[in-house]
Amino acid sequence: MSKARVILITGATAGIGRATALHLARLGHHVIATGRNEKALAEVREELAKDAPGILETLRLDVTDAASIADAVAFVDAQTDGHGLDVLVNNAGYGTAGPTELITDADMRAQYETNVFGLMAMVRAFLPKMRARGAGTLVNVSSLGGRLTLPLMGVYNSTKYAVESLSDALRVELRPFGVQVSLIEPGVIATNFTDRSMSEGDKYRRDSSSPYAPVLARADELRALSDRTAVDASVIAKAIAKAATSRRPRPRYVAPFSAGLMIGFLRMLPTRWSDAILALATGFTKKRFGLGLGAKSPTKTAQLVA
Ligand SMILES: NC(=O)c1ccc[n+]([C@@H]2O[C@H](COP(=O)([O-])OP(=O)(O)OC[C@H]3O[C@@H](n4cnc5c(N)ncnc54)[C@H](OP(=O)(O)O)[C@@H]3O)[C@@H](O)[C@H]2O)c1
């Protein structure tokens, strides 16, 4: 095993974060699994105690709450005699599925608060000790959606594009200080993520008067397609472990392999072609909206009326 490291993971109460905390603790690292739900954190501790040794501590931490982050810094300092973290895994995040035009400012800001500002607040809190020591690793969980934009996930994807850009800048800026920065780009993973993004987007989906109703009515079909291709969170836990423990981690880890193929394929195509493929796959076609050949488009109708 590589040298044992002190690793803090955000959003470790479920899905990828939980799987990563257990995996890294089983590898013998000193893991601080954090999250908002104390009961779920206790379950993570019990799960580890069942089958393996390893140091796994849990801590309540909401990445959108400055006081909670300050408490986490104090906790880590106390646990490590002032050494600080070797690795920070910024995993907490969620998305709201819905038509980009309709997602409210409040829902958009809330996603940015967690996925972008929460991540940066964690970086600012834990980076200074790494920089002073001349060692440390930031692992930021982005998404396939940080490289490709999918219809109905535009707002969420934009938060992950922001994570990509901030991480790319940090990676270069922190080079002289010996701090490494890696991005994790998961494809579709079997966690609570899809359920949450569907329920967060419920109010947009259930509105039958929505101009997007023909596609929104198909949400369950799209959901079933995503469920069929989802892979286990352990795949991402292993990618995060590589990024967290390599001497020279890669800038990006895409997993599973199929997600890398999809990024490569769609980015290779002219944008008009990739747009057409995504529109067909998700139902954003004139035919579905009753705007097929021969039908008057809203613009033509408006011109006739005028
Ligand atoms: N699953 C996928 O297909 C997929 C694909 C690409 C990228 N990702 C990314 O992977 C990361 C993990 O998602 P997941 O798939 O494991 O989803 P998940 O099962 O829903 O887990 C998300 C975790 O983030 C936590 N979280 C949310 N807001 C938080 C906050 N303000 N402070 C602290 N923790 C918070 C959740 O805790 P609560 O229970 O308290 O909300 C939960 O522990 C996210 O950044 C997501 O964007 C997921």
Side-chain angles (χ1 to χ4, degrees), residues 60-74:
R60 206 194 157 274
L61 170 60
D62 179 340
V63 301
T64 64
D65 176 352
S68 169
I69 294 177
D71 288 349
V73 173

Side-chain angles (χ1 to χ4, degrees), residues 10-18 34-37 40 61-65 90-95 113-115 118 141-145 156 159-160 184-194 196 226 230-231 233 236:
T10 64
T13 52
I16 292 171
R18 185 183 199 278
T34 72
R36 299 184 292 188
N37 180 335
L61 170 60
D62 179 340
V63 301
T64 64
D65 176 352
N90 280 309
N91 163 74
Y94 76 98
E113 283 301 331
T114 299
N115 300 2
V141 179
S142 171
S143 171
L144 166 73
Y156 166 70
T159 68
K160 293 301 186 178
I184 308 294
E185 297 170 339
V188 184
I189 314 300
T191 66
N192 299 335
F193 179 85
T194 311
R196 179 154 186 209
S226 130
V231 304
I236 306 303

